[in-house]
Amino acid sequence: MGLLHLRSHAMLLLVVPVCLFSFSLPYVVAQSDTKTSARALDALLQDYAYRAFVRPRTRTGIVYNGYVPSNLTGMKIAAMRLRSGSLRKRGVKIYKEFGIPIGVTESPYVERLVLVYQNLGNWSKTYYPLPGYTYLSPVLGLLAYDASNLTATNLPELEIRASGDPLSITFQDMMSAPAGSVAECVWFDLHGLTNFSNATSGNTCTTTEQGHFSIVVESVAASLSPSPRREKKKSNSKVWIIVVPVFVGLALLVLWLHKHKHKKKMEQMQKAAADVGEA
Ligand SMILES: *[C@@H]1O[C@H](CO)[C@@H](O)[C@H](O)[C@H]1NC(C)=O
Ligand SMILES: *[C@@H]1O[C@H](CO)[C@@H](O)[C@H](O)[C@H]1NC(C)=O
Ligand SMILES: *[C@@H]1O[C@H](CO)[C@@H](O)[C@H](O)[C@H]1NC(C)=O
Ligand SMILES: *[C@@H]1O[C@H](CO)[C@@H](O)[C@H](O)[C@H]1NC(C)=O
Ligand SMILES: *[C@@H]1O[C@H](CO)[C@@H](O)[C@H](O)[C@H]1NC(C)=O
């Protein structure tokens, strides 16, 4: 009996902190990992998008649809090779959901470049988690690379900038915003920065730079509490530093109370036994 009690107390003491750690650890790790894993994905998709070009003669201004590896089924990619001068002087009227106006330049300058298109489909949330928001459309990416070597991997992105009108992204594969909520554009730049702006006509976003884009609404639960936005990521991991010791403390208190109660009960039983003996 006593041994059994002791065992359950020990279990309690073990289980509570272990549970807390198993919840908090993956969370903290996932938060710091997402930026690097999204960049690793960009590199992988650059490689796979370039494989879509039919060698040895790749035409310019043509959309080449690519294939993703089977572990990323659900994503779509494409690549388009362009002369730098043509991009600047003519733009690209329609490239999937993107409209590229006249006046887009890259730096550093290259003679020809490749615009890699990404549609992350059902993987959007995995690579671009956005606490407090719900995605209404998949995350779409547009990234520019040097086209001088079409078998190159791990290429650094070029910077592209719209000097006149901005680029537009017209989302087609989109859920309608719940009544009363406002659809917002979200832009993830390549350095991990997130920026929100208003959508025009409900499904169009604009940008002057490359990156990843989507349309979101604030989640209902999040709009009841203060907006999480950017600061939340850091403070969340700090919260655990406070929460874990508090719970461990509580577990110890519960253990102590149980022991105390048990001791009292034993004393009462001994006393009762003594009373019976006297009688
Ligand atoms: C998916 O598979 C490719 C090709 O086998 C591999 O290079 C890549 O690391 C894998 N990516 C993920 C996220 O599992
Ligand atoms: C996305 O859908 C594909 C099937 O279309 C599935 O194999 C894959 O696991 C899904 N990805 C996620 C993150 O759910
Ligand atoms: C192109 O890149 C590949 C892979 O990095 C490399 O093996 C090849 O030598 C490069 N070709 C040229 C012409 O630089
Ligand atoms: C979005 O539009 C609302 C009203 O239409 C305005 O108050 C808000 O400042 C705009 N937000 C941004 C980021 O432009
Ligand atoms: C973020 O978006 C706002 C409104 O669209 C814009 O004024 C601001 O310059 C953007 N910030 C960055 C870092 O691009």
Side-chain angles (χ1 to χ4, degrees):
M1 192 62 182
L3 194 66
L4 211 69
H5 255 92
L6 204 69
R7 230 186 245 168
S8 68
H9 288 152
M11 284 291 279
L12 187 70
L13 197 61
L14 263 172
V15 162
V16 172
V18 164
C19 276
L20 278 163
F21 269 107
S22 62
F23 279 121
S24 62
L25 271 182
Y27 186 79
V28 173
V29 170
Q31 289 280 327
S32 54
D33 259 7
T34 46
K35 192 179 133 195
T36 49
S37 71
R39 296 300 290 143
L41 179 70
D42 287 338
L44 187 73
L45 295 183
Q46 177 267 313
D47 177 11
Y48 277 78
Y50 270 48
R51 295 184 198 188
F53 291 127
V54 181
R55 289 170 218 134
R57 267 190 63 82
T58 302
R59 293 169 61 196
T60 54
I62 302 285
V63 178
Y64 289 90
N65 290 312
Y67 293 97
V68 290
S70 60
N71 56 2
L72 297 175
T73 301
M75 292 188 191
K76 292 182 199 129
I77 52 169
M80 182 188 278
R81 187 163 163 264
L82 290 165
R83 287 184 154 275
S84 175
S86 163
L87 175 66
R88 184 167 42 84
K89 282 186 236 143
R90 284 197 284 275
V92 180
K93 200 160 188 190
I94 298 170
Y95 178 24
K96 304 284 185 182
E97 287 90 342
F98 290 87
I100 304 169
I102 292 166
V104 175
T105 55
E106 79 285 356
S107 83
Y109 173 82
V110 291
E111 201 175 328
R112 288 184 191 79
L113 52 90
V114 172
L115 295 178
V116 168
Y117 164 88
Q118 310 174 351
N119 179 333
L120 300 193
N122 60 340
W123 297 87
S124 300
K125 260 193 301 193
T126 311
Y127 285 95
Y128 293 91
L130 202 56
Y133 291 85
T134 305
Y135 279 111
L136 295 184
S137 80
V139 168
L140 305 180
L142 188 73
L143 304 178
Y145 299 94
D146 186 356
S148 63
N149 181 354
L150 296 183
T151 57
T153 56
N154 289 315
L155 283 174
E157 285 84 9
L158 303 168
E159 286 207 18
I160 56 167
R161 191 171 286 277
S163 57
D165 289 338
L167 287 80
S168 67
I169 310 118
T170 305
F171 294 88
Q172 271 133 31
D173 187 8
M174 198 182 132
M175 294 186 287
S176 52
S181 59
V182 181
E184 286 179 88
C185 298
V186 61
W187 166 47
F188 304 95
D189 80 357
L190 300 183
H191 313 289
L193 215 135
T194 308
N195 202 2
F196 294 87
S197 61
N198 281 335
T200 52
S201 35
N203 71 335
T204 303
C205 300
T206 58
T207 180
T208 55
E209 290 176 49
Q210 66 192 336
H212 295 85
F213 309 89
S214 191
I215 294 203
V216 294
V217 287
E218 276 193 65
S219 307
V220 177
S223 58
L224 295 176
S225 58
S227 175
R229 299 269 162 153
R230 265 142 282 177
E231 280 77 22
K232 203 186 173 185
K233 283 191 177 180
K234 272 179 205 151
S235 60
N236 262 337
S237 46
K238 275 186 196 145
V239 162
W240 286 111
I241 296 172
I242 301 160
V243 164
V244 170
V246 165
F247 270 81
V248 170
L250 276 176
L252 286 170
L253 186 69
V254 167
L255 176 66
W256 182 81
L257 281 175
H258 264 255
K259 249 192 179 154
H260 192 69
K261 209 171 124 195
H262 188 61
K263 209 171 129 196
K264 237 184 166 167
K265 207 170 153 194
M266 286 294 273
E267 276 170 8
Q268 271 170 0
M269 272 164 73
Q270 273 166 4
K271 196 163 171 272
D275 287 350
V276 168
E278 262 169 38

